[in-house]
Amino acid sequence: MNKVTLLNSNDLLDIFSASHIATAIYTTDSLYVEAVTDAMLAFWGKDRSIIGLPLAEVLPELREQRFLDELRSVWRTGITITGEATPAEIIIDGNPTTRYYDYEYKALRKANGEIYALLHTASDITERVEGIAAAEKLENEQVLNEELAAANEELIAINEELNHSRQSLRELNEELETRVAQRTRAAEAARNRLEAMVMNTPIAMTILKGHDLIVEVANQPMLDVWRRNLSQVVGRGLVEIFPELNDQPNPGRMRGVMQTGKRFTLPETEVILGTVDGVLKKHYASFSYDPIIEDDGTIGSILVTVINITEEVTNRQQLEKSREELLVATQDLAEANLRLNMAMEASALGITEIVLATGQMITSEQFKKNYGRAVDEEFTYPQLFECMLPQYRDEVKQRVKSAMDNHTIYDAEYEIEWPDGSRHWISAHGIPQYENGIANRLVGVTRLITAQKNLEQQKDDFLSVASHELKTPITSLKANLQLLQRLKDNPANPMLPKLIDSANKGMEKITVLVDDLLNIKRFSQSHLKLERNAFNVNAMLQNSCHAVKAEGKYEVQIEGDADLEVIADEHRVEQIVINFVNNAVKYAPESKVIVLQYAKLNNYIKITVTDHGPGIPADQLPHLFDRYWRADHASKKYSGLGLGLYICAEIVKRHGGDIGAESELGLGSTFWFTLPV
């Protein structure tokens, strides 16, 4: 079976770009972006203008993160790198944003093992990570509530008092102009209550004051997090207590809350803190920084709330490590599936899984498209057989049954009819699936091979026509030569001139047919060269019509500027005109006047050949310049290989012009072409 590839590189690139999977392809150690899907562009907040740029220029914020180094490592070593729930700082619409991704960097190799590109796939799982964090936070709070059930009444009372204090504070703020003194006392009382709440809540809290983040209040849960006692922290700056925080972002975030007055939260953050003996330990916590507004409206301190989630994060990391080990074990399978999906997308294969008991089919979009069905349209196994032409149904059913009985793969080619009435060819392959030794499902793939079948039919038709067209003049030539052989000793015989003329005509017809075949070969192999030169259009047209004029049966009228010249291959252009004129004689023999017109239109010259014959049916006009197509006028079949107008179209195309035909039944036909001046 001939292999047919229906999609070119641009088609594949378009399909690739429209993929819903976030994917990018990079080349060289500089990581140039060669191709990228719309899904990946959405992650980056970019458009297609970034194609061809280095990734570091497209996303400069990645330079301080690990991803560029990982990509270059894959380029150098060829070792695939994957990441799960990995945080990344991305700038979208000018705003820095932290997102979490599952991703894979994979090297693509040539047949000789050389790496020529990197494949990057990614999934945005930010919402899932945040959901897990929120769920873990909720679970921790529930556990904490169960452990502190005995203190709930006191905590509720404190919360009620705090709510009352906040309400009082709002009321006092509204009376700021008239009751400054009362508000001040109330604020002091509220401050005292806030400190009391901080000291009595089971959640780790502290109040930090000023740019140096001086510890004013810290409750016991916070002291437990810090591994310090109260005397070691009160009145001292946070960075003084923990010098290791100098290189961490949290002190800057706290000062930012004091400057902006906006609350800041972090759902899960890694913090390095030192113990009293100087040993650095890693912690994980959820933070919130709330501004505390003073009497004069300034912000001099903040309330820091910390929920220690170190144990939960550690457990999760151990779970993720186990998952990574599992992923490593299944990596080959995942890569195989990826290659399979890419191959199926590129080859437009349709996939289906058939439940034999119910006739239900679970199909891909391409599978339904192969059968002319809409993506959302229901399509069952019985309907699949209904759309087959009747002569193929029993054979396909027999092949499926044989595959199920013998545990083999079935394959079939059959013709189907789409709902719109058009007919198409399908190539199908499938393999049965078994349960307890009984086939219960059928997994298969299909591919449209209509174009391939049509091409095969065209070739068969062409070979049949070519054999017939060559056989006729060869038979005549052979008969003429046999007669000449008999009369060679009688040169005065009056039959000799007629036989010689007949033989010459047969040879001319064979020559024309062979020339057409040779021209087709040159066009298909791009070996046809144009010999361009300046020539007079009128003189060329006169020469083209010389043979028709000499017969005396037709009047040829040539209209146009006698001095008009063009630079082109005169021999090839003359070949087009001769073909048009001969077609007018062939298909419109009763039209005794043939009109040739030419004129300059902008930067082109247009040449037309018009007859007043029976005309061409509208449904045939789009096919006139197709290869191997042969005209059918008024149900009359004409000789020829169906190559003449196709060759004309190729010559015009090589010149950079256009070609076409216009016709109306009963009023004649006009064939035209244009050439650049």
Side-chain angles (χ1 to χ4, degrees), residues 104-170:
E104 180 183 76
Y105 301 147
K106 177 179 178 61
L108 301 180
R109 299 177 180 272
K110 298 180 180 177
N112 62 5
E114 178 186 357
I115 297 173
Y116 68 91
L118 299 182
L119 179 66
H120 172 199
T121 56
S123 300
D124 190 338
I125 60 167
T126 303
E127 293 182 1
R128 188 177 71 193
V129 171
E130 292 176 347
I132 292 173
E136 291 175 347
K137 177 180 178 181
L138 179 60
E139 181 180 353
N140 293 334
E141 289 176 349
Q142 291 173 346
V143 172
L144 186 61
N145 287 336
E146 292 174 359
E147 294 176 350
L148 300 176
N152 277 346
E153 293 181 1
E154 181 181 358
L155 181 59
I156 292 172
I158 293 173
N159 287 336
E160 290 176 352
E161 184 178 359
L162 177 59
N163 289 334
H164 177 71
S165 299
R166 288 175 176 169
Q167 180 63 32
S168 299
L169 184 58
R170 284 195 295 270

Side-chain angles (χ1 to χ4, degrees), residues 83-87 99-103 125 128-129 316 320:
E84 293 219 359
T86 304
R99 307 293 293 177
Y100 294 84
Y101 298 92
D102 287 346
Y103 64 90
I125 60 167
R128 188 177 71 193
V129 171
R316 190 186 73 226
E320 290 175 351

Side-chain angles (χ1 to χ4, degrees), residues 43-305:
F43 285 359
W44 293 348
K46 306 293 182 182
D47 57 33
R48 294 201 168 275
S49 63
I50 58 92
I51 293 178
L53 298 177
L55 183 59
E57 184 175 338
V58 174
L59 300 171
E61 58 269 26
L62 296 184
R63 291 171 177 162
E64 301 301 325
Q65 302 178 59
R66 72 188 194 186
F67 305 105
L68 297 179
D69 290 336
E70 287 183 350
L71 281 166
R72 294 188 179 99
S73 174
V74 175
W75 180 264
R76 291 192 297 270
T77 66
I79 299 174
T80 299
I81 292 179
T82 61
E84 293 219 359
T86 304
E89 294 290 338
I90 300 295
I91 296 178
I92 300 178
D93 296 330
N95 299 316
T97 303
T98 299
R99 307 293 293 177
Y100 294 84
Y101 298 92
D102 287 346
Y103 64 90
E104 180 183 76
Y105 301 147
K106 177 179 178 61
L108 301 180
R109 299 177 180 272
K110 298 180 180 177
N112 62 5
E114 178 186 357
I115 297 173
Y116 68 91
L118 299 182
L119 179 66
H120 172 199
T121 56
S123 300
D124 190 338
I125 60 167
T126 303
E127 293 182 1
R128 188 177 71 193
V129 171
E130 292 176 347
I132 292 173
E136 291 175 347
K137 177 180 178 181
L138 179 60
E139 181 180 353
N140 293 334
E141 289 176 349
Q142 291 173 346
V143 172
L144 186 61
N145 287 336
E146 292 174 359
E147 294 176 350
L148 300 176
N152 277 346
E153 293 181 1
E154 181 181 358
L155 181 59
I156 292 172
I158 293 173
N159 287 336
E160 290 176 352
E161 184 178 359
L162 177 59
N163 289 334
H164 177 71
S165 299
R166 288 175 176 169
Q167 180 63 32
S168 299
L169 184 58
R170 284 195 295 270
E171 295 173 354
L172 291 172
N173 284 336
E174 293 173 356
E175 302 174 1
L176 180 63
E177 294 289 338
T178 59
R179 304 182 62 183
V180 175
Q182 292 180 7
R183 186 193 62 187
T184 302
R185 290 193 296 271
E188 291 175 352
R191 179 69 173 228
N192 292 334
R193 285 193 294 271
L194 177 60
E195 292 181 2
M197 183 274 294
V198 169
M199 295 303 296
N200 289 282
T201 184
I203 299 174
M205 289 186 173
T206 184
I207 296 177
L208 305 179
K209 183 177 181 180
H211 182 271
D212 293 332
L213 306 175
I214 303 299
V215 178
E216 289 188 315
V217 178
N219 63 8
Q220 189 58 47
M222 181 62 82
L223 295 174
D224 293 340
V225 172
W226 287 346
R227 290 184 172 85
R228 301 287 194 279
N229 58 45
L230 197 60
S231 62
Q232 291 175 314
V233 297
V234 172
R236 300 179 62 193
L238 189 64
V239 179
E240 178 187 354
I241 302 169
F242 301 104
E244 59 271 19
L245 291 177
N246 258 321
D247 298 325
Q248 299 184 49
N250 282 348
R253 291 167 176 163
M254 295 174 183
R255 296 184 183 104
V257 172
M258 292 186 189
Q259 293 172 357
T260 64
K262 294 182 180 179
R263 188 172 192 263
F264 184 85
T265 60
L266 286 172
E268 178 182 317
T269 305
E270 176 184 305
V271 180
I272 307 297
L273 295 178
T275 61
V276 177
D277 55 7
V279 178
L280 296 178
K281 288 194 174 183
K282 183 184 298 184
H283 301 267
Y284 294 91
S286 296
F287 293 91
S288 65
Y289 306 147
D290 294 277
I292 299 175
I293 302 174
E294 304 296 338
D295 296 341
D296 57 0
T298 61
I299 301 172
S301 56
I302 61 172
L303 174 65
V304 177
T305 303

